[in-house]
Amino acid sequence: MVAGTGFAEMGNHVVCVDNDIKKLSKLQNGVIPIYEPGLEDLIKNNVTNGRLQFSSDLPAAVRSCDICFIAVGTPQSEDGSADLQCVEAVARDIGQAINGYKIIVNKSTVPVGTALRVSEIIAARTKHPFDVISNPEFLKQGGPS
Ligand SMILES: NC(=O)c1ccc[n+]([C@@H]2O[C@H](COP(=O)([O-])OP(=O)(O)OC[C@H]3O[C@@H](n4cnc5c(N)ncnc54)[C@H](O)[C@@H]3O)[C@@H](O)[C@H]2O)c1
């Protein structure tokens, strides 16, 4: 949400996709589920000016964009490794929706080798060209000072 809002503030058109309908409905009603200083105003301004949208329609979002960021949760499994189920699920959805060249950016915290895994998942579902790049999130969570 923070990354997407930042990109919208820079002038890009951003669709933040989530499959959590309750979270989406809060966002669509202007209720921001996390606290980051200044984030609420940035979201409201960019939603109002049409550069930021929230949606559950991943295929439509993929078709409409040039760059897809994967930024889903990767909780630690019992053995300490990152659970990649959500990353792989989104890669499958992206692979099915691709309609032309896309850049797929992995922002989730993942182990080395995940870009290759994501590429394989997408390539198994489309003949359209794409590239996968890694851009791990290094944001520090904000909070009231
Ligand atoms: N929050 C941070 O400050 C921070 C910092 C560094 C790295 N990261 C990494 O970034 C990634 C995301 O972290 P976060 O804090 O934003 O997690 P989050 O749980 O707040 O958000 C992830 C969202 O992905 C959605 N989602 C899961 N599966 C989906 C699917 N198949 N389709 C659509 N939406 C789906 C969830 O509903 C959830 O709202 C993690 O890998 C985390 O380790 C986060």
Side-chain angles (χ1 to χ4, degrees):
M1 197 183 314
V2 174
T5 305
F7 290 135
E9 180 69 12
M10 290 163 67
N12 300 285
H13 284 91
V14 177
V15 183
C16 289
V17 174
D18 207 295
N19 62 2
D20 181 337
I21 300 300
K22 279 190 194 156
K23 189 183 269 189
L24 279 177
S25 117
K26 280 187 186 164
L27 283 163
Q28 282 155 349
N29 288 306
V31 179
I32 315 302
I34 58 169
Y35 178 76
E36 282 287 339
L39 183 63
E40 188 166 342
D41 285 344
L42 284 179
I43 290 179
K44 283 185 180 155
N45 291 344
N46 282 285
V47 167
T48 304
N49 68 29
R51 285 201 301 262
L52 182 61
Q53 294 171 57
F54 299 100
S55 170
S56 59
D57 191 346
L58 184 145
V62 168
R63 288 194 296 269
S64 72
C65 76
D66 300 319
I67 306 176
C68 309
F69 284 80
I70 301 178
V72 291
T74 48
Q76 273 196 2
S77 304
E78 277 179 16
D79 64 359
S81 61
D83 180 342
L84 298 180
Q85 281 183 53
C86 293
V87 171
E88 294 186 355
V90 172
R92 286 194 290 274
D93 290 346
I94 291 173
Q96 275 157 10
I98 279 192
N99 60 339
Y101 177 73
K102 309 283 175 191
I103 298 172
I104 318 296
V105 184
N106 188 18
K107 207 166 224 336
S108 295
T109 304
V110 293
V112 169
T114 304
L116 181 59
R117 177 80 192 116
V118 167
S119 293
E120 288 169 350
I121 290 171
I122 296 173
R125 287 163 178 80
T126 186
K127 295 217 177 317
H128 289 294
F130 65 90
D131 286 300
V132 176
I133 64 171
S134 294
N135 175 219
E137 182 60 81
F138 287 115
L139 277 180
K140 181 173 178 289
Q141 290 188 2
S145 51

